[in-house]
Amino acid sequence: MGHPVAIEVRNVSKRYSDDPGLAPALDHVSVDIADNEFFTLLGPSGCGKTTLLRTIAGFEHVSDGEIRLAGEPVNDLPPFKRRVNTVFQSYALFPHMSVAQNIAFGLEMQGLDRKLIPQRVDEMLALVQMQHLARRKPAELSGGQQQRVALARALAPKPKVLLLDEPLSALDLKLRKEMQVELKRVQKEAGITFIFVTHDQEEALTLSDRIAVMSAGKILQIGTPNDIYERPQHQFVAQFIGDINFLPGHLKRGQNNEHLFVPSGMPVEIPCPAQGIDGKVQLAFRPERSQLVDPAQPHHLRGVIEAVLYVGTATLYQCRLNNDIKVMLRENNEGLNRSRGVGDRVAVNLPPHACLLMEA
């Protein structure tokens, strides 16, 4: 990763019951998270992402495995002795305190010299651009402003790692997007590790240096946003991150050993991909990586348009292929008038570089 490791999670499991028939909340999870990294735990509800965050914070004890912070084991340390702070969904601001007092509270509990506290509060107010609201109470702030105060309060004691448990989920869409930009800026300026929990794929792709996609208590894949989106290693990851189409097929080598063929209505030529995959496969492709073309053109999948959805910058086409499989395609509008409509017969062009092969 190029940076010292801030958090090491080694073969960690978390069980809430001794019943062997119940699946663990975390199932032998291992991951290294670097200093100054914006690392996101992404997955659906119940996948274990918040449980993993809570074990790092010390709010949950691990059943097996070890967690290290800056190389030191922290399994037996209570939360207040770990150089880790948490920003919760609810923000948990003290309603009777001003913005400045909320930020100062953790510093006072930490025993920082009272003469130094005002300077640190001012630094945090500047970091989150809230200097002009220092005397206001939480009830006088917007949701985005409250989120900034919670962020400043958590950063004030200079933790080694900041944990964020879906802190933007209560905000409306426009404000959430604005706060994504702010979070990324604050993380870079603060120069510490952020571990961010979300179920929002777009949020994870926008914010993260790396993402860990979780399901059923396991980490399925870790990588950069580009890796996760362009090169998913599991069907679950491919389906969870963005939109994707799957075509069942049977893998056969062509005359040129550098290519493989997957018939789904007809053979589709793709570059030779992963080794060790043979027989039944799934051919996956993103809606924006394929094109609708004239059905008279040879060597394409053919079908009929069943639905047309205008989404502003793009138009989505749902097509039923001749083998009765439905796929979704996306074309940027770019100011062009679309002449295709429901019932039109079309062909789908799949460029070789757009295709991914996965085990069926």
Side-chain angles (χ1 to χ4, degrees):
M1 289 181 288
H3 293 279
V5 176
I7 292 285
E8 300 168 72
V9 178
R10 290 284 175 268
N11 207 32
V12 164
S13 294
K14 174 62 181 179
R15 291 179 294 274
Y16 290 104
S17 171
D18 293 330
D19 185 347
L22 296 177
L26 294 174
D27 190 359
H28 298 92
V29 171
S30 294
V31 61
D32 286 349
I33 301 172
D35 271 343
N36 307 333
E37 183 174 24
F38 200 120
F39 191 90
T40 296
L41 302 173
L42 174 66
S45 296
C47 72
K49 56 187 186 296
T50 295
T51 302
L52 180 54
L53 198 79
R54 290 176 63 83
T55 61
I56 294 171
F59 301 137
E60 300 278 2
H61 295 291
V62 302
S63 303
D64 296 298
E66 184 178 59
I67 296 174
R68 289 177 172 262
L69 174 61
E72 297 297 322
V74 295
N75 283 34
D76 298 326
L77 291 182
F80 67 89
K81 288 193 175 181
R82 303 187 187 196
R83 290 188 59 196
V84 171
N85 259 355
T86 305
V87 177
F88 300 99
Q89 290 183 33
S90 63
Y91 311 144
L93 300 176
F94 299 113
H96 61 288
M97 294 183 181
S98 69
V99 166
Q101 288 169 336
N102 264 280
I103 296 172
F105 179 79
L107 301 174
E108 293 167 355
M109 293 299 98
Q110 196 180 43
L112 185 67
D113 187 334
R114 287 190 172 274
K115 295 179 182 178
L116 301 178
I117 290 178
Q119 179 184 346
R120 183 62 179 163
V121 169
D122 288 343
E123 290 173 1
M124 290 298 97
L125 288 168
L127 180 65
V128 298
Q129 300 175 351
M130 293 279 289
Q131 303 98 312
H132 60 298
L133 300 175
R135 295 187 178 183
R136 287 198 184 178
K137 300 288 179 61
E140 301 172 304
L141 304 175
S142 69
Q145 290 168 340
Q146 290 182 37
Q147 200 268 354
R148 291 186 191 203
V149 177
L151 189 61
R153 184 179 64 181
L155 287 170
K158 297 184 179 181
K160 181 73 175 174
V161 176
L162 187 66
L163 310 175
L164 301 106
D165 187 7
E166 303 206 45
L168 308 183
S169 60
L171 305 179
D172 63 59
L173 180 61
K174 185 175 184 296
L175 187 53
R176 194 183 315 142
K177 290 185 178 295
E178 292 174 0
M179 288 310 303
Q180 288 172 9
V181 175
E182 285 300 297
L183 264 185
K184 190 71 173 175
R185 176 188 64 80
V186 169
Q187 188 263 334
K188 292 303 179 188
E189 290 185 17
I192 69 170
T193 302
F194 276 26
I195 303 179
F196 187 84
V197 162
T198 185
H199 62 271
D200 186 314
Q201 302 94 324
E202 182 179 340
E203 195 165 81
L205 293 171
T206 300
L207 289 171
S208 312
D209 295 319
R210 287 191 306 149
I211 299 169
V213 182
M214 297 187 67
S215 176
K218 296 178 181 288
I219 292 179
L220 298 185
Q221 185 173 348
I222 300 173
T224 66
N226 183 271
D227 288 336
I228 296 293
Y229 187 81
E230 301 289 352
R231 291 172 290 278
Q233 297 170 1
H234 300 263
Q235 282 196 40
F236 178 89
V237 176
Q239 290 175 304
F240 193 75
I241 305 291
D243 298 318
I244 199 161
N245 298 299
F246 287 100
L247 299 177
H250 191 85
L251 200 60
K252 295 181 181 178
R253 288 195 178 276
Q255 293 180 352
N256 184 342
N257 287 333
E258 294 180 355
H259 292 76
L260 300 164
F261 295 82
V262 181
S264 245
M266 68 171 296
V268 178
E269 187 177 8
I270 63 173
C272 186
Q275 300 296 317
I277 298 179
D278 199 7
K280 290 183 178 181
V281 295
Q282 293 280 358
L283 175 64
F285 64 96
R286 300 286 184 188
E288 71 275 13
R289 300 294 163 78
S290 53
Q291 298 91 35
L292 289 176
V293 296
D294 190 317
Q297 293 189 29
H299 309 303
H300 295 300
L301 304 172
R302 289 176 174 77
V304 62
I305 295 176
E306 289 195 330
V308 179
L309 305 174
Y310 175 79
V311 292
T313 58
T315 299
L316 302 178
Y317 297 94
Q318 181 178 286
C319 300
R320 183 185 293 274
L321 301 181
N322 288 351
N323 56 2
D324 215 33
I325 293 173
K326 291 184 179 181
V327 297
M328 189 70 76
L329 295 94
R330 179 186 180 100
E331 289 187 348
N332 290 333
N333 288 328
E334 299 175 349
L336 300 176
N337 292 321
R338 296 296 178 191
S339 59
R340 300 188 185 97
V342 174
D344 288 354
R345 300 206 66 81
V346 292
V348 178
N349 175 35
L350 293 181
H353 65 270
C355 300
L356 294 166
L357 272 190
M358 298 185 177
E359 290 183 288

